[in-house]
Amino acid sequence: MPADHYQESTYGDAIADTYDDLYGTFLADPVQIKVLADLAGDGPAVEIGSGTGRVALPLARVGVPVVGIDASGEMTRQLHRSAVAEGLAVTAVEADAAAFTVADPVPLVYAVFNTFFLLADRDVQARFLAQAAKALGDGGALVLETFVPRPGRLPDGPHPGVFPADSTVVVKQRSTERVVLFAATNTPTARTFDYHEIVLADGAPVRMYPGRMLYLWPEEIDALAAAAGLRLAYRWGDWDATAYDPNAARKHISVYRR
Ligand SMILES: C[S@@+](CC[C@H](N)C(=O)[O-])C[C@H]1O[C@@H](n2cnc3c(N)ncnc32)[C@H](O)[C@@H]1O
């Protein structure tokens, strides 16, 4: 699909049936689940961009009820099916991050694995932060996990490789029968990172999964959050509470409170 036809549900709807295959080895970190569970207490926790449940399902397995919000109907249906199959307290809701609401205040709203940047419009990012501020109860926390933009490399996550200033293609997976390529275009002036995951398998049609991120530096996220009435409580370089080093961190975990 051409990038100009890209909308909120494009990424999720296209990749839903293949997401677990492409990211299946990228399992949620137990330390991450413990951090989220501690912040959520009795819950419920609200995950924005819950996808197929890579994080929502393990969080529910440790006893935290989760409401998974996703703009993609395909992702929402998959999460619902998986939760029902395991009898987990996960409510999958198809909704846009910019407009999600909750019936009662919640202790935790989170968006991990660069999902905040996948809200690929500055207005959607701002409106999501405002909705999160409204959803949080007293003492509640908003947790964001995103890469730290750095020239010379790809965003952190399961895409190791070099990321030149403009465009690149890296081999993400390779076996005898199948190659997965990651083709990305970075436009620093617009702060957009457009990419396709391209699956080439012997004898099968080529599959293309487009994504678009609108990235920000951590301090810029803080300013957007402040405009929504959220202040930075603390920032880590990783889920194990590694100190955040602004000069070297590949990603950040930031916790905001009202
Ligand atoms: C990179 S996936 C992350 C899925 C899951 N959180 C994980 O860590 O594996 C991002 C998810 O965000 C969803 N998404 C993108 N834009 C959205 C929006 N505006 N509102 C809600 N969900 C959105 C996509 O459909 C996709 O399921």
Side-chain angles (χ1 to χ4, degrees):
M1 175 177 298
D4 37 301
H5 293 151
Y6 194 86
Q7 57 186 24
E8 282 74 17
S9 56
T10 301
Y11 170 83
D13 281 351
I15 206 169
D17 64 349
T18 312
Y19 188 88
D20 288 349
D21 185 27
L22 291 176
Y23 291 94
T25 54
F26 187 53
L27 298 175
D29 174 0
V31 179
Q32 172 188 29
I33 298 302
K34 171 137 185 19
V35 169
L36 294 174
D38 288 349
L39 288 167
D42 294 334
V46 174
E47 175 166 6
I48 299 299
S50 38
T52 57
R54 189 181 65 86
V55 177
L57 295 170
L59 188 56
R61 280 183 204 121
V62 299
V64 178
V66 180
V67 178
I69 309 274
D70 204 291
S72 157
E74 290 303 320
M75 287 291 202
T76 305
R77 282 185 280 282
Q78 286 215 20
L79 177 58
H80 176 71
R81 275 198 298 273
S82 301
V84 168
E86 276 196 65
L88 293 170
V90 175
T91 309
V93 179
E94 182 181 342
D96 195 297
F100 85 97
T101 54
V102 290
D104 296 304
V106 297
L108 175 65
V109 176
Y110 67 94
V112 294
F113 194 21
N114 303 319
T115 295
F116 181 67
F117 292 165
L118 272 168
L119 312 182
D121 176 305
R122 197 71 74 209
D123 183 52
V124 173
Q125 292 177 340
R127 286 195 288 143
F128 155 62
L129 293 169
Q131 293 308 109
K134 272 192 222 161
L136 292 176
D138 290 341
L142 167 69
V143 178
L144 300 181
E145 176 193 35
T146 75
F147 66 84
V148 178
R150 296 217 184 271
R153 69 183 187 218
L154 282 169
D156 211 6
H159 312 302
V162 177
F163 180 33
D166 45 13
S167 297
T168 195
V169 178
V170 296
V171 177
K172 190 177 149 189
Q173 288 177 18
R174 192 177 60 79
S175 66
T176 314
E177 298 80 20
R178 196 172 87 135
V179 172
V180 181
L181 303 177
F182 186 81
T185 305
N186 178 32
T187 311
T189 47
R191 297 181 183 182
T192 53
F193 182 78
D194 288 287
Y195 61 93
H196 277 85
E197 290 175 87
I198 304 164
V199 180
L200 308 169
D202 195 24
V206 174
R207 298 290 309 269
M208 307 268 283
Y209 304 106
R212 170 179 289 171
M213 295 198 204
L214 180 59
Y215 57 81
L216 290 168
W217 273 260
E219 298 72 21
E220 295 173 315
I221 302 177
D222 296 348
L224 263 191
L230 295 162
R231 68 180 165 77
L232 180 70
Y234 51 94
R235 170 166 289 142
W236 293 340
D238 210 337
W239 291 99
D240 60 3
T242 301
Y244 173 73
D245 176 353
N247 298 314
R250 296 180 69 95
K251 69 174 182 180
H252 64 103
I253 287 102
S254 298
V255 178
Y256 298 88
R257 296 191 193 277
R258 280 191 307 159

